Amino acid sequence: MEPYEATAEDLLAHDDIPFTLVADTEALDRRIAREIADLIARNNEAEDDTTLILPVGPLDYEYLANICNRERLSLADVTIYMMDEYLDDDGALLPESHPLSFRAFMRESLVENLAGDLGLTMADVVFPDPDDPAAVTEELDAIDGVNACYGGFGITGHFAFNDPPEPDEEMTAQDLAETRTRTLTISRESTTQMAMGGTLGNWELIPERAVTLGMYELLLSDRVHLTFMRNWHAGTLRRALLGPVTEQCPGSLLQLHPDLRVTMTELAARRPDPDITQATGAEEG
């Protein structure tokens, strides 16, 4: 079967990857928040630290904050490693005053929504450092990877800001799997996707460069949980998870991870329909 021919039922019956179907984005956010909270609670009970890699964009962390506040869940032993952050024209982390600042997003959506005595501060939310990219690699190597990594794919199949190689760039799938934290220029395709989404077409608002965890650090995670909720995710998830493992689709490398799971909304689970007159859900693009 060709990847794009797979129905939602085919995905749910996949032999190797556990797919879970939820109604909508709210149900997805609630499910992920519950899973993260349960992981923290188990580790607290075992007197173990909790380490996570989290993205900005596909998840609303207010749901997690609400659970932690309601259940008085201590986050004193939690460290969050963020996938990436935009850079300004001087190569520094984008200032929090910028509307696309990932640091501002995490402060406002998670840290400031938590009760102050639960123990998580912005010092526990670690962004890769453009001046010392290797520092976070060393931290993650020292702990043999985080407990769990959450995220989704961009239109190119990018995971974090790990895009496919440019046409004149020689890179194999193994080369891509070995990429470490680094600064880079964001691909034109990914810039277009982001301009069509969160900035309502304001191309000039998207920074040209970013710092990102590499595929090496992401694949080092004990567990990877992918989330898909948008209409165009229907094709992207099938290409990445049902197609060949290739550097042309970085997300396809996740097929090789020993503990991969997927949660998708009904919108993202629909089989991509070649009849564009039947396309629905464009408002979520």
Side-chain angles (χ1 to χ4, degrees):
M1 178 187 297
E2 291 297 318
Y4 296 135
E5 294 177 357
T7 64
E9 290 74 19
D10 292 328
L11 296 176
L12 293 172
H14 196 283
D15 290 335
D16 299 318
I17 303 173
F19 286 84
T20 297
L21 182 65
V22 296
D24 52 27
T25 300
E26 180 179 354
L28 184 150
D29 282 327
R30 291 186 183 281
R31 184 170 192 269
I32 299 303
R34 182 71 266 167
E35 181 175 293
I36 293 174
D38 289 346
L39 171 63
I40 296 169
R42 288 195 303 273
N43 285 348
N44 286 353
E45 179 68 21
E47 298 184 349
D48 290 334
D49 296 340
T50 298
T51 51
L52 304 165
I53 291 176
L54 296 180
V56 167
L59 295 172
D60 182 346
Y61 296 114
E62 289 190 29
Y63 293 93
L64 176 59
N66 290 341
I67 291 175
C68 295
N69 290 338
R70 183 173 63 249
E71 299 180 6
R72 302 295 303 155
L73 182 62
S74 173
L75 305 176
D77 296 318
V78 174
T79 302
I80 297 171
Y81 295 91
M82 298 304 298
M83 280 190 170
D84 41 31
E85 174 61 294
Y86 288 118
L87 302 179
D88 65 18
D89 292 340
D90 296 320
L93 294 175
L94 201 66
E96 291 193 41
S97 58
H98 192 285
L100 295 182
S101 165
F102 291 175
R103 288 178 295 159
F105 176 85
M106 292 303 292
R107 182 185 302 279
E108 294 165 4
S109 67
L110 179 59
V111 175
E112 291 183 350
N113 282 312
L114 289 165
D117 60 348
L118 293 185
L120 189 78
T121 71
M122 283 301 292
D124 304 306
V125 183
V126 179
F127 282 83
D129 182 354
D131 294 324
D132 188 9
V136 71
T137 306
E138 293 170 1
E139 283 192 39
L140 294 173
D141 267 334
I143 61 173
D144 294 323
V146 298
N147 299 143
C149 169
Y150 295 86
F153 301 149
I155 193 66
T156 65
H158 75 229
F159 195 44
F161 274 121
N162 296 286
D163 266 308
E166 294 295 332
D168 60 350
E169 183 181 3
E170 293 187 8
M171 177 181 287
T172 66
Q174 184 58 42
D175 292 335
L176 180 62
E178 291 296 327
T179 54
R180 265 61 170 182
T181 301
R182 65 206 183 281
T183 61
L184 48 70
T185 298
I186 302 167
S187 73
R188 179 175 289 269
E189 293 85 353
S190 291
T191 297
T192 302
Q193 173 208 312
M194 291 178 285
M196 292 176 64
T199 70
L200 302 179
N202 186 345
W203 181 287
E204 286 74 16
L205 193 62
I206 307 294
E208 294 182 357
R209 291 185 61 77
V211 60
T212 185
L213 298 185
M215 292 300 298
Y216 170 80
E217 292 92 350
L218 298 165
L219 291 168
L220 198 61
S221 308
D222 293 344
R223 172 183 298 166
V224 177
H225 193 149
L226 301 174
T227 58
F228 301 102
M229 71 292 296
R230 300 185 174 96
N231 59 339
W232 53 267
H233 280 161
T236 300
L237 74 88
R238 286 167 169 82
R239 180 164 62 95
L241 300 179
L242 304 183
V245 175
T246 168
E247 70 281 358
Q248 296 304 320
C249 183
S252 67
L253 272 65
L254 273 297
Q255 293 182 45
L256 306 177
H257 195 278
D259 189 351
L260 174 67
R261 56 194 62 190
V262 177
T263 298
M264 56 188 178
T265 65
E266 292 179 357
L267 181 65
R270 294 176 183 174
R271 183 177 69 85
D273 196 330
D275 182 356
I276 62 171
T277 64
Q278 300 300 313
T280 60
E283 72 280 356
E284 294 200 27

